[in-house]
Amino acid sequence: MSETGNRLRKLLESPNFDPQNYVKQLSQQSDGDRDLQEHRQKIQNLADETAQNLKKNVYKNYRQFIETAKEISYLESEMYQLSHILTEQKSIMESITQALLSTDKDETSKEMQAAFPKETEEVKQRTLTSLLEKVEGGKNIMDTPGRHLVYNGDLVEFDVDNMSQIQKVHAFLMNDCLLISTWLPNRRGAVKYKYNALYDLESFAVVNVKDNPPMKDMFKILMFPDSRIFQAENSKIKKEWLEILDETKKNKASKDKHTKEEVVPTSPVRAEVSTNPFDVDDDEPAGAEENVDLSMEWIQELPEDLDVCIAQRDFEGAVDLLDKLNEYLKDQPVTPRVKELRAKVDERVRQLTEVLVFELSPDRSLRGGPKATRRAVSQLIRLGQSTKACELFLKNRAAAVQTAIRQLRIEGATLLYIHKLCNIFFTSLLETAKEFEMDFAGNTGCYSAFVVWSRSAMRMFVDAFSKQVFDSKESLSTAAECVKVAKEHCQQLTEIGLDLTFTLQSLLVKDIKAALLSYKDIIMEATKHRNSEEMWRRMNLMTPEALAKLKDEMRSCGMGSFEQYTGDDCWVNLSYTVVAFTKQMMSFLEEGLKLYFPELHMVLLESLREIILVAVQHVDYSLRCEQDPEKKTFIMQNATFLHDTVLPVVERRFEEGVGKPAKQLQDLRKSTRPVRVNPESTTSLV
């Protein structure tokens, strides 16, 4: 950057820069408009350079930002796992210490329980019954035999999203469940609380919430897909809740495991053999139940492990556990215990599916492109939900494409906007197709859904395209360039075997037809207006440069024989009306060929025919009505130019662009062949 540019940059970057004083001084020091324009250009160059540097910095740091975000996500997951492990280690150490310190106390307790077992159980149940009498709607809780109270106390519930206080609750922890009841504002006798929720100890996980004043002494209960946060009265009570909850859950798990491992010893009595062959099937399930070993530790802990994987968003680990279980039970008979395990696992599968479905929902962030959905899609496919995965993947991509189109700025230049629109849409479509082919390689039945989705996405694109190109009444040349750009981008999809050209054409044909007919009407009105003012005089271009320019224009239109109608001076032996008509019609033909689809063949052909008829009929009428012999000769010269030069060029160019001859144009030229007539006559045939 030059020294002047550096000084200007320092001036604009200074903290005390005052725009009004700067403009005022600049106006006083400038000699005129030229100085202001030069200074404006310097500021513009500085702004462009700054924008370019900013863009380079963004591109430079973008990949680092993505990698950092991924690392943060991984670290968050690892920290959660580490916290869970530390909590377990802490509870184990505390239980060991407690066991070492209270050996004598435990022995005394065991002796008391052995001496008065029924009394202790009755006291626990009596205490729970007396407390539950204070809970409205909680009478049926005692229907489960062996259920007794472990711990209870007052808590305050907070909203998970905004951490606002919701209500005051009273929690009852029992040996197999947790009861949450709310305080009644208007107490009725002994009833203080109202039943709110009852959670099985296996259905939730307890997580400590780090203190963040004024939010402290809190813990969270995770019941996928929901969660609830409670606040204890102080840190001591919170610690008691966490420890007792953890210990009660472990005691229940240990008791359930011990119950399942117990096998009732049976005497080896030989089964009575029935002579009825139809009794064989009835005896098989009873014997088969003993053949399925579900006592392994990983099977016993499978439901809780699935809950942990879902909470930690370890989708791959959850599906791996499910595959391992399915492989183990593949050849095993379906016993009642297997059905019970299947019911628990199916509930976790439903929860996992809901999480994966939410990951693919359009409500989630759409950034990251199609690859961001690969993780959820692959796990849904492994769960046997390929149809749902396909549907959600395509909905997610449709929302992403629609959002990208909506966020695209509408530039002043239509062609520039269309370039950006086509680049965004067809690039997204290409990336989506490649990702779809990668994710659903083994599910060929989903490909038809992708084709249908591609057609609907193309409809979305055409809506935005037509709104900017055709609804804004752009010129036919601009519309033709825009359609050409869209066709070229659409051809890129053929590299992956997807050809949507026909779909694009069928969606655009209505708007293109309307544009062609509208522009045809404009040309016909302009030609009629020029015809009404026609004086049948030769064109005088005044300067050789203007004549040379006209020759180049006519040569570019394909009129190679135009030279014979010009002289050495600046005169052209044709009327202004005929020359203007020729240029306008050839321009319409070229733009129409750019917009050409087979469905538009007759529309373009009839439009050309009607435009030509306007000029030919005017020449015919003038030739019949003109009385001056010289003008009649001049009119005949213009008619010859139209018939022998213009119409053949139109026919040839149309055939080159379309690929087949235009019989209607040939018939029109034959029917309008000029006839040499006596200049003194008032009749002719054109």
Side-chain angles (χ1 to χ4, degrees), residues 545-559:
E545 291 79 9
L547 179 60
K549 182 180 178 182
L550 178 61
K551 289 180 179 179
D552 290 339
E553 290 176 353
M554 299 302 287
R555 197 177 300 113
S556 65
C557 292
M559 308 298 163

Side-chain angles (χ1 to χ4, degrees), residues 466 470 473 476 479 483 504-521 588 591-592 595-607 610:
S466 299
F470 297 109
K473 304 298 182 184
L476 193 65
V483 172
L504 177 65
Q505 292 177 356
S506 62
L507 293 173
L508 285 175
V509 66
K510 181 179 178 181
D511 290 324
I512 295 178
K513 179 180 178 181
L516 287 173
L517 295 177
S518 176
Y519 201 65
K520 176 207 71 173
D521 294 338
F588 175 77
E591 305 304 339
L595 295 167
Y596 179 81
F597 298 148
E599 295 85 352
L600 296 170
H601 181 83
M602 291 306 300
V603 175
L604 181 58
L605 197 58
E606 287 298 323
S607 298
E610 291 180 23

